[in-house]
């Protein structure tokens, strides 16, 4: 089954993006109106984030989100074979010099981002930034076959894909061996119940964020940069790199998550459909976790 699915996805990936977007339009109708994929969670999140907006606005965002979610799926399929030159035209970095400045000066960098835009197209980063080993931390999928397929896609141009539970040990080992790293971390997941949490204001709600990335940044003196994403046309993204902190080890990581949350919220408010609203983001309440 793994082989069948893999080669089916590869075959689909060779279709022109225009054809894949036509399939995405069909998938949107099925996902939103027939399957109603995680609609309860999506509406709950939109009600929390945009409670100050009328219902018509929230339903408009909902529909646009499902359209983008389907586009994300087919864009990710395209990533199995897309030429990097073509991807560079569709996934542009406005100011690569910010990241290159630190990489060229021997600093290791965390790209501290959320489930926004199309994070799977980040495999383009090494082709336009300094030639440092690029790696991503990821949560393994429950299905071993799908997990293997996604890992192969993420690493097809020489990137590393490291499971999140191995991330801290890997980063510390790289530091001890003087290995420079350039790492993409997706940091907007709702933390597990027993995980350490940092609570911050996010969409006017006390919201739990996972504490792992800033702890790694402090320990290994990482520079933290936020890739702010806009999409001005279907299938085209532009990224502006924004500095979060380049002295994390000196200030003990204070304020890193708070700054990240502000930057992410700004992006979401500007183009809300690009965020992954199907995550159960506000499932934890601060009063249930006494300090």
């Amino acid at each position: 089954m793994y082989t069948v699915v893999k080669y089916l996805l590869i075959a689909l990936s060779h279709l022109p993006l225009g054809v894949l977007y036509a399939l995405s339009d069909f998938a949107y109708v099925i996902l939103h109106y027939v399957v109603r994929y995680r609609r309860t969670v999506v509406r709950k999140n939109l009600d929390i984030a945009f409670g100050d907006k009328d219902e018509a606005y929230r339903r408009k965002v909902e529909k646009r989100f499902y359209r983008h979610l389907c586009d994300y799926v087919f864009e990710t399929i395209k990533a199995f074979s897309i030429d990097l030159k073509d991807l560079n035209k569709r996934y542009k970095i406005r100011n690569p010099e910010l990241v290159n400045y630190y990489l060229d000066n021997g600093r290791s960098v965390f790209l501290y981002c959320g489930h926004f835009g199309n994070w799977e197209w980040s495999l383009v980063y090494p082709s336009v930034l300094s030639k440092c080993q690029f790696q991503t931390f990821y949560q393994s999928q429950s299905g071993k076959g799908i997990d293997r397929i996604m890992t192969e896609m993420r690493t097809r141009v020489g990137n590393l894909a490291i499971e999140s539970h191995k991330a801290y040990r890997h980063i510390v080992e790289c530091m001890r061996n003087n290995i420079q790293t350039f790492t993409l971390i997706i940091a907007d997941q709702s933390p597990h119940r027993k995980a350490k949490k940092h609570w911050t204001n996010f969409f006017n709600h006390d919201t739990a964020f996972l504490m792992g990335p800033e702890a790694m940044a402090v320990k290994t003196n990482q520079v933290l940069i936020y890739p702010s994403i806009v999409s001005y046309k279907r299938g085209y993204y532009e990224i502006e790199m924004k500095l979060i902190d380049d002295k994390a080890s000196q200030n003990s990581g204070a304020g890193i998550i708070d700054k990240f949350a502000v930057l992410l919220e700004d992006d979401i408010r500007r183009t809300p459909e690009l965020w992954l609203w199907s995550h159960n983001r506000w499932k934890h309440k601060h009063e249930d976790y006494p300090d």
Side-chain angles (χ1 to χ4, degrees):
M1 182 60 69
Y2 156 77
T3 303
V4 171
V5 173
K6 175 184 174 180
Y7 285 104
L8 176 60
L9 291 174
I10 291 174
L12 280 172
S13 76
H14 285 282
L15 293 173
L17 263 171
V19 175
L20 293 177
Y21 283 136
L23 294 173
S24 176
D25 290 339
F26 175 74
Y28 159 72
V29 174
I30 301 300
L31 199 68
H32 184 234
Y33 292 103
V34 180
V35 178
R36 298 184 177 185
Y37 172 72
R38 296 182 70 84
R39 182 184 283 189
T40 301
V41 173
V42 171
R43 289 189 172 179
K44 170 192 169 186
N45 286 338
L46 287 170
D47 289 346
I48 290 173
F50 296 117
D52 58 330
K53 304 289 187 181
D54 59 28
E55 185 173 352
Y57 174 84
R58 294 195 296 273
R59 294 299 170 264
K60 183 178 180 180
V61 172
E62 175 188 310
K63 291 178 180 179
R64 288 182 174 179
F65 159 68
Y66 279 104
R67 285 191 179 278
H68 173 70
L69 179 62
C70 293
D71 281 357
Y72 159 77
V73 170
F74 284 94
E75 287 172 0
T76 299
I77 290 172
K78 188 64 179 177
F80 282 91
S81 64
I82 192 169
D83 182 80
L84 285 182
K85 289 184 179 179
D86 186 22
L87 190 54
N88 278 327
K89 296 176 183 177
R90 294 177 170 275
Y91 207 77
K92 291 184 178 179
I93 301 175
R94 292 178 181 173
N95 57 335
E97 64 276 3
L98 176 63
V99 179
N100 284 335
Y101 169 78
Y102 291 105
L103 293 176
D104 291 344
N105 283 279
R107 296 292 301 277
S108 291
V109 173
F110 278 170
L111 284 184
Y112 199 36
C113 69
H115 286 92
F116 192 85
N118 190 330
W119 50 97
E120 298 296 352
W121 276 11
S122 62
L123 54 84
V124 75
Y125 286 140
S127 66
V128 291
L129 299 170
S130 291
K131 301 301 180 182
C132 176
Q133 177 66 61
F134 182 70
Q135 56 193 18
T136 61
F137 295 156
Y138 73 98
Q139 296 284 351
S140 60
Q141 303 293 316
S142 56
K144 292 184 179 179
I146 293 297
D147 188 67
R148 183 178 170 188
I149 289 169
M150 292 300 295
T151 300
E152 289 182 11
M153 184 273 291
R154 291 165 177 158
T155 59
R156 77 176 182 89
V157 294
N159 304 334
L160 297 180
I162 299 161
E163 291 184 69
S164 296
H165 72 275
K166 300 177 182 178
Y168 187 83
R169 182 181 299 177
H170 171 78
I171 286 292
V172 170
E173 186 176 332
C174 287
M175 180 197 69
R176 289 174 178 169
N177 290 291
N178 295 315
I179 298 173
Q180 187 183 22
T181 55
F182 176 30
T183 310
L184 178 74
I185 298 178
I186 299 177
D188 61 344
Q189 301 98 330
S190 184
H192 297 299
R193 177 169 293 275
K194 295 182 180 180
K196 291 184 178 180
K197 303 170 183 64
H198 175 81
W199 297 87
T200 192
N201 186 292
F202 187 60
F203 282 96
N204 298 317
H205 284 76
D206 205 11
T207 306
F209 282 79
L210 194 64
M211 292 182 64
E214 89 285 356
M216 286 189 285
V218 170
K219 177 70 174 181
T220 60
N221 195 30
Q222 300 277 335
V223 177
L224 293 113
I225 292 176
Y226 175 80
S228 177
I229 299 174
V230 295
S231 180
Y232 56 91
K233 183 180 177 183
R234 191 179 197 182
Y236 288 85
Y237 303 88
E238 283 192 356
I239 298 90
E240 179 183 359
M241 299 298 181
K242 296 182 178 181
L243 180 65
I244 297 176
D245 198 335
D246 61 358
K247 297 181 176 64
S249 62
Q250 296 179 26
N251 62 27
S252 300
I256 287 174
I257 295 176
D258 299 326
K259 292 175 185 177
F260 166 71
V262 168
L263 291 167
L264 178 61
E265 182 176 332
D266 285 346
D267 273 358
I268 296 170
R269 288 190 180 277
R270 182 178 61 242
T271 324
E273 62 268 23
L274 296 186
W275 197 44
L276 194 62
W277 293 99
S278 52
H279 270 183
N280 193 3
R281 190 61 191 83
W282 285 281
K283 63 184 177 182
H284 298 306
K285 295 182 179 180
H286 199 171
E287 57 266 27
D288 296 330
Y289 296 87
D291 297 330

